[in-house]
Amino acid sequence: MKIVLINPPHTAIGSRIPDDHLPPLGLLSVGGPLIDDGHAVSLVDADFRPMPIPEIVSMVMAASPDLVLIGHSGSTSAHPTARTIAEALKRSDPAISIIYGGVFPTYHWREVLAETSAFDILVRGEGEETMRRLADALATNRPLATIPGIAFRDGHGEILATQPAQAIADLDAYRIGWELIDHRKYSYWGGKRAVVMQFSRGCPHLCNYCGQRGFWTRWRHRSPELFAREIGRLYREEGVELINLADENPTSSRKAWLAFLEAMIAENVPVQIAGSTRADDIVRDADILHLYRKAGVVRWLLGMENTDEATLALIKKGGAKASDREAIRLLRKHDILSMATWVVGFEEERLSDLWRGFRQLLSYDPDQIQALYVTPHRWTPFFRIARDRQVIETDTRKWDYKHQVLKMRHLNPLVLVLCVKLIEVAVQARPKAVMRILFHRDRQQRHSMRWYTQIGRRVWFHELFEFLFRRRHIKDGPTLEAFWGAPQDAEEESMLRPQRHVRSLDAAE
């Protein structure tokens, strides 16, 4: 079959302002197994520029596909654009079959299929095996009801979902379709040729606001040696210089992560690695952080989320201020940059709360910060906690963590955004931080810090301009539950748990 994969253009500020662009790992991960099954697969990465809808339709129609598959990593905020693309394709060719996958359609499958007839089938959960089975069923005219992990309309127009698919036990059984992209087009950190990869999927921790934890169902990891070997090949054959890990928590298993570090050191390639992890894991690994750096790790985003102990308890973060502070100190000792995420809106903060959070951020002394706004997802336990809060942003393209979407009882949106913007400037522009940007002892780290500062400055002004001149918040908006529907935390796990597997046994459980 001829299959076209579409990565929709994303309207989030983070996707539009930077000059660099990363490849769509999710679509490549689905594309590799489809190619191996003998299908003719191509990719339309419309997130470049971004590509206008008519051009997307023209490129897809030129390929005369049997199937079109749409998916995006920014699933919720990209959904309106994905729907627009699907509807435009259907107008051009009503007979074309359109499949839609990702986190948002996994949980909102009922609403997605009810609101438009443009999507024929939705994939729920991981897509690699489900898409293989689905493509084979469509090619051989087998009933869709035999395929686990999908939702569709039957011959009478009734919306149905099959039983959940089983989460993949062996991640190494499915390869990434790197041949679908031209590596020369993708870069990060100021022009470094880059890709997105996953060492692991899922997270063993219980943070109640996380929209990814339940999607992956269980923490699993790839073979450390095979993963390092793939990175080495990408460097030697494709010139890839930087790996951006998409994992929620790649360091969950010290044993598996140490094996990966040792395998990367043995590969002996000058590849830089950036990703996200927990401060607790950094403190745990204090004795092997020199291996992190030797293996190429240059920056960790630390998901601290907040600096208030009561808030951390509310969201079941499981961390503590002391370990957060110590993790940043340890990373700096080994010339690994730290980026701290700080999220406002979990509770009804006042100005005094923001001031206290700012002072605590200064005491943490991170190299970089990323200030975000709480963005509750219907399938998370936090949604149930926040269900009665008022929505002030009904444009779901703005539900990307970079825009305030919930009303604050004590702070109006203007006051909140000004406070957040001032905190960002004060933390990033304090003398100690500026000195590191200008005179960091590691030349590569100096380059990456300057690049991030340059990008951050552009995003900062763009966000402020957008707020002042392009946004109109709703004064009397609906409650969160009225806007999205009833809580779905009872069905948070999107797939059936795999049988215990040798590569999952040493996870922190």
Side-chain angles (χ1 to χ4, degrees), residues 385-443:
I385 296 173
R387 64 196 297 180
D388 294 325
R389 292 181 61 180
Q390 193 173 357
V391 171
I392 63 170
E393 178 57 82
T394 56
D395 182 354
T396 56
R397 293 174 299 177
K398 305 297 185 185
W399 285 63
D400 58 2
Y401 299 94
K402 293 296 288 180
H403 297 85
Q404 182 189 356
V405 298
L406 294 183
K407 183 177 180 179
M408 300 286 285
R409 185 181 306 166
H410 307 295
L411 301 172
N412 69 50
L414 177 60
V415 172
L416 182 62
V417 75
L418 290 177
C419 287
V420 169
K421 295 293 110 181
L422 287 173
I423 287 172
E424 286 177 340
V425 170
V427 174
Q428 299 282 179
R430 66 198 193 282
K432 190 183 297 185
V434 172
M435 290 297 288
R436 292 190 195 116
I437 295 170
L438 295 176
F439 304 110
H440 196 285
R441 62 186 179 183
D442 185 291
R443 180 181 60 81

Side-chain angles (χ1 to χ4, degrees), residues 108-302:
H108 287 259
W109 57 271
R110 300 172 184 87
E111 294 80 9
V112 170
L113 289 175
E115 72 183 11
T116 180
S117 60
F119 297 116
D120 296 291
I121 305 168
L122 305 187
V123 173
R124 301 163 57 222
E126 291 173 320
E128 290 93 334
E129 183 60 28
T130 300
M131 268 307 304
R132 290 182 66 191
R133 295 177 179 181
L134 181 55
D136 180 69
L138 292 171
T140 58
N141 293 314
R142 286 193 291 111
L144 293 179
T146 64
I147 310 300
I150 64 171
F152 60 98
R153 299 177 203 82
D154 67 9
H156 304 288
E158 183 179 353
I159 295 173
L160 302 174
T162 61
Q163 68 174 2
Q166 188 174 71
I168 296 170
D170 182 7
L171 297 177
D172 293 308
Y174 303 85
R175 73 173 187 87
I176 301 170
W178 295 119
E179 64 267 44
L180 292 170
I181 65 170
D182 180 349
H183 284 276
R184 294 172 297 180
K185 295 182 178 180
Y186 296 92
S187 63
Y188 194 49
W189 280 24
K192 292 181 181 294
R193 190 171 297 186
V195 296
V196 184
M197 299 181 73
Q198 273 185 320
F199 173 62
S200 66
R201 290 181 178 179
C203 182
H205 300 283
L206 301 176
C207 306
N208 65 14
Y209 60 88
C210 180
Q212 292 284 326
R213 179 176 64 90
F215 178 81
W216 300 113
T217 301
R218 183 185 180 89
W219 191 85
R220 297 147 285 149
H221 66 83
R222 291 187 55 182
S223 159
E225 295 76 19
L226 292 179
F227 190 63
R229 192 180 307 164
E230 184 173 4
I231 292 175
R233 186 197 69 78
L234 287 171
Y235 170 78
R236 287 185 287 267
E237 297 181 12
E238 303 292 350
V240 171
E241 304 170 88
L242 189 139
I243 307 297
N244 189 35
L245 292 178
D247 307 42
E248 279 68 47
N249 197 184
T251 58
S252 288
S253 165
R254 175 182 163 103
K255 179 180 178 181
W257 183 250
L258 177 59
F260 166 67
L261 296 176
E262 292 172 339
M264 272 303 299
I265 293 169
E267 284 291 324
N268 192 30
V269 291
V271 172
Q272 294 180 302
I273 299 173
S276 305
T277 192
R278 287 175 62 94
D280 291 346
D281 289 1
I282 298 300
V283 176
R284 177 201 69 192
D285 289 349
D287 61 322
I288 61 170
L289 285 179
H290 64 289
L291 298 180
Y292 277 58
R293 191 66 180 87
K294 190 174 182 181
V297 175
V298 292
R299 190 193 74 186
W300 282 123
L301 184 150
L302 300 176

Side-chain angles (χ1 to χ4, degrees), residues 465-506:
F465 178 85
E466 181 198 42
F467 179 89
L468 293 174
F469 300 107
R470 295 181 180 174
R471 294 193 72 190
R472 294 293 182 270
H473 292 110
I474 299 175
K475 292 184 178 180
D476 297 309
T479 65
L480 185 60
E481 182 173 3
F483 181 66
W484 280 124
Q488 288 181 308
D489 47 308
E491 51 185 284
E492 183 183 9
E493 293 193 352
S494 70
M495 295 169 287
L496 300 177
R497 284 177 172 260
Q499 295 180 346
R500 292 186 70 82
H501 190 270
V502 65
R503 290 183 188 146
S504 298
L505 293 178
D506 48 12

